[in-house]
Amino acid sequence: MKTRVFFAVLSVLLGFSACTKQDGNIIIDGQTNNNQLDIFRADTFTLRTKTIREDSLPGNGISYSLLGEMNDPILGKSKASLFAKMNILEPENSFPNTIEPDSAILYIPMVDGLNFYGNPLTKQRIQVFPLTETLTSNKVYYQHQSIAYNQQISTNYYGPMYQQKFDSIGYRKEKMGLKPGIVIKLSTEFARSLMQMPSEAYQSNDGLAKHFKGIAIIPENDEFMPGDGGYAVFDLSNVISLAYRAKIMLYYNDTNTFVFGFEGKGSIVNQGKVGPYPQMVNEQLSNQSKSYETTYVQALSGIKTEIQIPYLLNLIKNGNVGINKAEILFYTNNITSVNQFAPPRLNLYQPLNTQSKRNRLIDDATMSPASFGGVYDESRKCYRFTVTRHIQNILNDQHFKSLNTNLGLYLAMPSDNPVIGARAGIDHSKTKLIITYTKPN
């Protein structure tokens, strides 16, 4: 459908600065009616949609970290594990590494605000292991990537994923308050391994890396029923204060404490594992030639939605056009609940090339972030995106270069800003691409 749109005033259009209005047309001063510009609206584009697997999302360098496991009533099981390099906060040249430790605890604070997705009442089983692989901050780690750890030394925790209040903990001869988060008492064996390293491990970070490379924190909850579990959002890289930062506190000689910190975002890796998926999702993943009315997006390098616009280039079959505004709206279906709510934001990407499922943000997101959109509208149950630059680029590439860059779009969960273990179902019976454009008579 094409509908003529009437505008009262347009000050600038396609490089012309002086325009007057004549019954739905733009008249350029000094030209005849044959050179008028018309404005049209198109909103009945054919869209082909399907669910595909996510590809190669970075797991490090992210603001915050997810931890937990969930059995989603719709998409099934998934879990988020953490792998992190440790460092020394206060080196000691004469550390008493021949004695037995009193105890060791791991503390990780939660972020403020939106910090849990799923059922917060479910207790979870968490295991903690020492790493055997060195993490380096200048390397990109991906969420599906395996990282080696020592399964011979472990700690088993079973309890809530976070607590709002803690009793203060000992720090040397004083007490230290903690903000909401998780506290895990490490096993005697784990504490001993931290206490009895060679002396150089307590003197410098290089020395520590030779003997203690960091920790793996891995949920193990195979018994979860649908609706059980969830993901907490933790802040491992916070260095505001000793009390509020993530750390391991090693206690010895009654009142002494040695503190291991976390090195930073580049050396903290979030790993995501998803599946097995239910039949409705597997059908889409295995039969990519069809279009589906309901598709899905999921965090943790899970799944995303592909949108193809096969007849978009018909807009320029009689010559190029200028895009005044283009936007696309995605509406959620009815799979949300109190615990599994719609993600607060989604992103819109474009494929890198015709053979790739890897992607980059469309130009509207990077060049006009304030108007790009993607924030969930709770009242309308939809995500609205501005795609004006993206559509114009596709049309220009075809018209001026005979280059087809109409490769489709990917609707997906952001891996950062916000960090959240969410998912959504998209009802494409309501999805709409709306383009307002200008072309000469």
Side-chain angles (χ1 to χ4, degrees):
M1 178 186 74
K2 295 180 180 178
T3 306
R4 216 172 274 235
V5 180
F6 300 89
F7 284 77
V9 178
L10 285 177
S11 61
V12 180
L13 180 62
L14 299 177
F16 297 100
S17 59
C19 301
T20 59
K21 173 250 184 188
Q22 179 184 334
D23 294 333
N25 296 325
I26 302 300
I27 308 299
I28 302 173
D29 291 345
Q31 298 193 26
T32 66
N33 288 350
N34 291 333
N35 290 318
Q36 294 173 10
L37 300 176
D38 291 338
I39 299 176
F40 296 87
R41 172 188 165 104
D43 62 6
T44 57
F45 292 93
T46 297
L47 303 176
R48 296 184 59 82
T49 55
K50 60 190 176 186
T51 303
I52 64 173
R53 293 188 185 277
E54 187 58 274
D55 182 77
S56 302
L57 290 181
N60 62 328
I62 298 170
S63 300
Y64 305 116
S65 302
L66 292 172
L67 180 65
E69 191 164 2
M70 182 169 67
N71 190 344
D72 187 332
I74 304 299
L75 297 182
K77 295 182 178 181
S78 57
K79 72 176 177 179
S81 301
L82 285 173
F83 303 84
K85 186 177 181 180
M86 311 295 293
N87 63 10
I88 292 173
L89 301 188
E90 296 180 352
E92 290 195 16
N93 291 323
S94 301
F95 186 80
N97 60 342
T98 59
I99 65 174
E100 286 291 315
D102 296 332
S103 63
I105 65 167
L106 166 66
Y107 163 71
I108 309 176
M110 295 184 77
V111 303
D112 296 325
L114 185 60
N115 55 21
F116 199 87
Y117 188 87
N119 185 350
L121 300 179
T122 305
K123 292 183 178 180
Q124 298 203 34
R125 180 170 286 103
I126 305 292
Q127 293 186 296
V128 184
F129 306 94
L131 292 180
T132 57
E133 178 178 336
T134 300
L135 299 175
T136 56
S137 59
N138 59 358
K139 175 181 177 180
V140 176
Y141 295 88
Y142 295 99
Q143 291 188 19
H144 56 70
Q145 194 166 337
S146 296
I147 296 172
Y149 55 91
N150 180 5
Q151 299 186 50
Q152 302 306 310
I153 301 175
S154 66
T155 291
N156 290 285
Y157 166 87
Y158 180 72
M161 285 303 297
Y162 68 94
Q163 291 180 244
Q164 290 289 354
K165 293 183 179 180
F166 294 105
D167 294 333
S168 57
I169 62 173
Y171 176 63
R172 297 177 179 169
K173 295 182 180 181
E174 300 178 355
K175 293 291 186 179
M176 178 185 294
L178 301 175
K179 67 180 295 188
I182 188 170
V183 168
I184 298 175
K185 183 177 180 180
L186 300 180
S187 67
T188 300
E189 183 182 25
F190 207 126
R192 185 180 294 120
S193 73
L194 296 176
M195 187 79 203
Q196 298 179 354
M197 295 183 287
S199 297
E200 65 176 340
Y202 309 95
Q203 297 170 359
S204 69
N205 288 326
D206 289 340
L208 178 67
K210 295 178 183 179
H211 306 285
F212 178 46
K213 301 183 184 303
I215 59 172
I217 313 173
I218 302 173
E220 296 291 351
N221 299 281
D222 293 337
E223 73 282 2
F224 276 179
M225 299 297 291
D228 286 346
Y231 303 104
V233 187
F234 290 112
D235 185 358
L236 278 75
S237 56
N238 156 33
V239 294
I240 295 174
S241 69
L242 180 59
Y244 285 177
R245 71 182 298 163
K247 54 190 170 286
I248 292 177
M249 308 278 282
L250 177 63
Y251 297 101
Y252 61 96
N253 285 345
D254 293 332
T255 58
N256 293 84
T257 311
F258 190 86
V259 183
F260 300 93
F262 288 82
E263 188 175 78
K265 292 189 292 186
S267 303
I268 299 168
V269 181
N270 231 157
Q271 180 194 77
K273 289 188 176 181
V274 296
Y277 288 115
Q279 178 58 34
M280 62 183 181
V281 176
N282 285 330
E283 159 67 18
Q284 297 193 38
L285 297 178
S286 61
N287 190 352
Q288 295 282 287
S289 61
K290 293 177 61 177
S291 181
Y292 299 86
E293 189 168 279
T294 300
T295 63
Y296 302 92
V297 297
Q298 181 189 34
L300 297 169
S301 203
I303 50 181
K304 60 187 175 184
T305 289
E306 178 182 308
I307 305 101
Q308 294 289 339
I309 317 167
Y311 306 114
L312 177 64
L313 295 178
N314 285 352
L315 282 177
I316 58 172
K317 63 183 179 181
N318 295 320
N320 202 20
V321 300
I323 304 300
N324 300 89
K325 183 177 182 180
E327 60 182 11
I328 189 165
L329 290 83
F330 299 99
Y331 291 81
T332 57
N333 65 359
N334 296 318
I335 67 170
T336 58
S337 66
V338 173
N339 292 329
Q340 281 89 28
F341 48 87
R345 187 172 69 85
L346 294 179
N347 270 343
L348 203 57
Y349 302 88
Q350 65 185 73
L352 294 181
N353 55 61
T354 56
Q355 304 300 319
S356 177
K357 290 185 179 179
R358 300 189 70 177
N359 45 242
R360 66 174 179 87
L361 284 167
I362 66 172
D363 285 346
D364 296 84
T366 57
M367 301 181 71
S368 304
S371 60
F372 174 54
V375 176
Y376 189 56
D377 184 334
E378 182 66 43
S379 62
R380 300 185 65 189
K381 310 296 183 188
C382 83
Y383 301 89
R384 179 191 298 267
F385 294 90
T386 298
V387 293
T388 305
R389 291 177 184 272
H390 177 72
I391 298 297
Q392 187 70 73
N393 289 343
I394 292 173
L395 301 183
N396 287 349
D397 285 343
Q398 181 63 41
H399 181 76
F400 294 109
K401 305 175 186 177
S402 297
L403 179 64
N404 183 6
T405 54
N406 183 26
L407 307 180
L409 295 164
Y410 293 145
L411 180 69
M413 284 289 303
S415 56
D416 203 349
N417 298 316
V419 175
I420 186 170
R423 50 77 164 155
I426 307 300
D427 179 3
H428 293 290
S429 69
K430 301 177 182 178
T431 298
K432 189 173 287 292
L433 172 63
I434 305 170
I435 300 179
T436 303
Y437 62 96
T438 306
K439 68 176 184 178
N441 275 340

